[in-house]
Amino acid sequence: MASHKESIIREPLVTGKDITYAKVTDDVLFPVENKPNKAWWIGFTVASLGACLWVFAVSWTFWYGIGSWGLNKTVGWAWDITGFVWWVGIGHAGTLISAVLLLFRQKWRNSINRSAEAMTIFAVICAATYVVSHMGRPWMALYCLPLPNQYGSLWVNFNSPLIWDVFAISTYFSVSLVFWYTGLLPDIATIRDRGTGWYRRIYSVLSFGWTGSVKTWQRFETVSLILAGISTPLVLSVHTIVSMDFATSLEPGWHTTIFPPYFVAGAIFSGFAMVQTLLLVTRKVLGLENYITMFHIESMNKIILVTGSVVGVAYITEFFIAYYSGGEYEQYTFLNRFIGPYWWAACMMYGCNVLMTQVMWFKKVRTNIAMSWVLSIIVNIGMWFERFVIIVTSLHRDYIPSSWAMFYPTWIDVSVFIGSIGVFFTLFLLFIRVLPAIAMAEVKLLLKEQSEHGKRKQIEEGHLDPSQVEFYKENLIKFDSVDVSEYENA
């Protein structure tokens, strides 16, 4: 994780005046070491009510069975699998930001990777609850794993993509959890060293004896790179295997080879949108504007734009494949999306995912915090409808018109989905309350040359070419949290 010379004309990754190592520690640990503010309590109360709704709805499902959902003989998958795929997709951005950007030495990841990794863990937990609930007999979930059991030599069906899901997602969760916690160790040790009493004892156990020695840091960086190398293929493999739940079937609308790359792009698309949704609020509530800057927001918006465009191309390709194949059932499935009873869901999908995101071509939109936040929510709404359209509209009208049926969600369906969102935000709010939302150790690596304070020092000491300095000053107005008046006499 060695540093490199940062060009003066690049936007600073850390803004603000007199940002020192001590100030980074104080700013990031303020929410952890002090009582939560009113905004946190409001958010936690609302999220907790949603989590309670989830507990009630899932308990109802376990007691009365999945017949309490809106599923019927024709539509056997609906809101449950829609929610499952949606949550797995949201969990993709954390690993991408942490692992892939680390391997490519993208320093702008340092301020956002911690929260994105935590989001991955919580999203995968929410996804897993859907799978267990849909089993109907959740106490049998253990038999999804090839473990010795009372039935003798009874093995799972390794030919089933649903079993591939179990292995892919459990591996993804395990590696992501280890990667996340490994990155936390130096910051937990900092909290330990600043604490007293029982507070110090708890964080002392959680820090696993971190000493901060040179040898410890060397091993930390080596392990981080190894875990990043392991995690990177998982970004592609996990949602590829999820897509195979559909692509390996013979169902019109599902049986297509474009699903793996299409699902991976969609997962990154929705994952980055959720990171934006969370961090734009977090930076304001916790006062972290100096560390999560406009550069980070615009960079994430650019990735959302690229992946959204890829998803749009995939939509067009799907229709072309259906037309070119000459298969009347495949053609009708896609025609039904537009003129069938679920046309409104398809409109939401195409409108939110393709049309709305194209406004991000304009820099004024990408650098507008309010519009970025609204668009991030629109993207996740659109991605939920994408999964709903793929699953429900492909099932509700099959080969025999006499078996056609409509899916109508019950109040349990709605409650489980809203409740899962409550569980997710409850976990995230608890996370930012007890652990640092920003990787302090990694942000401190940016201070010398890649922060606004570092750039100002270079200018004051006269080590830079005057033309570069002037160009930098001219562009200060675009930077977030930069006081332009500080440079007028520099």
Side-chain angles (χ1 to χ4, degrees), residues 307-350:
T307 51
S309 300
V310 171
V311 169
V313 172
Y315 292 158
I316 297 171
T317 306
E318 274 192 309
F319 278 96
F320 175 76
I321 290 173
Y323 160 75
Y324 194 68
S325 69
E328 57 182 333
Y329 299 108
E330 189 80 14
Q331 291 173 351
Y332 176 77
T333 298
F334 285 90
L335 184 63
N336 183 50
R337 292 184 183 179
F338 275 109
I339 64 174
Y342 289 111
W343 62 270
W344 51 272
C347 289
M348 288 290 292
M349 176 180 80
Y350 298 122

Side-chain angles (χ1 to χ4, degrees), residues 71-83:
L71 305 178
N72 54 57
K73 184 177 179 180
T74 304
V75 184
W77 281 6
W79 273 44
D80 48 329
I81 305 301
T82 299

Side-chain angles (χ1 to χ4, degrees), residues 8 51 61 117 131 190 247 279 283 294 305 391 394 431:
I8 188 65
T61 300
E117 291 167 16
V131 176
T190 301
L279 289 186
R283 73 191 287 272
M294 191 59 68
L305 173 61
I391 294 166
S394 298
F431 155 70

